[in-house]
Amino acid sequence: MKELVLIDMSLDWGQIDILSPTFVYVEELFLVRNNCSEICSKYTIDKDTWKNLRMLNLEQNGIKSFDELSEFRVLKDFNRLIINKNLIKDITQKSGFNSLE
C-alpha cells in the first residue's frame, strides 16, 4: 500500500502512532480534517517506520505551531508537506527538510 487516505475520521496522532508500524510502505498519507494537532510535541517520528513517506497532507487539523512537524525533517525522501487551513501563525526555518519541493 503506497497511498493511504484517512479523511474526516477524527483520528489524533496517538492513534496514527499506534498504527504506524503497519504503514511502513506508505509513501503518501492523507490525514485531512482529523484531530492531529499535536504531533512532535508528544510523539517521536521514527525514521525507520516512516522511511518511505514522501508526502503528508495534514490540512485542517488545528495545528498551531510549525514545531509540531519538526521531526519529519529527519526523513530522507520526504518532499511534500501540505498544511493549509491550520492555525500556524509563522513558519521558522529549521535545519533539515532539504527535500521539500
Side-chain angles (χ1 to χ4, degrees):
M1 174 170 46
K2 289 187 176 187
E3 180 179 281
L4 181 59
V5 179
L6 302 168
I7 297 176
D8 271 332
M9 295 185 66
S10 298
L11 297 169
D12 62 33
W13 195 264
Q15 294 164 301
I16 299 300
D17 191 54
I18 290 167
L19 296 170
S20 66
T22 65
F23 299 164
V24 72
Y25 296 107
V26 171
E27 293 179 10
E28 297 184 359
L29 179 58
F30 296 81
L31 293 170
V32 177
R33 292 186 305 274
N34 279 285
N35 297 318
C36 296
S37 60
E38 296 177 319
I39 302 171
C40 295
S41 62
K42 288 189 169 186
Y43 305 95
T44 300
I45 304 304
D46 183 354
K47 64 182 176 180
D48 292 325
T49 300
W50 295 104
K51 66 184 175 190
N52 291 308
L53 188 65
R54 309 284 186 270
M55 190 280 293
L56 178 60
N57 186 334
L58 289 166
E59 182 178 339
Q60 278 186 302
N61 272 276
I63 299 168
K64 294 179 182 173
S65 171
F66 190 68
D67 290 337
E68 292 296 342
L69 310 167
S70 64
E71 288 194 34
F72 288 100
R73 67 184 176 200
V74 302
L75 304 179
K76 187 179 111 186
D77 296 319
F78 186 67
N79 62 21
R80 288 187 60 215
L81 176 62
I82 301 167
I83 52 174
N84 51 316
K85 296 186 180 179
N86 277 287
L87 305 171
I88 299 170
K89 298 208 186 283
D90 59 72
I91 296 175
T92 56
Q93 186 174 357
K94 304 268 185 204
S95 62
F97 290 114
N98 296 330
S99 298
L100 282 183
E101 296 176 351

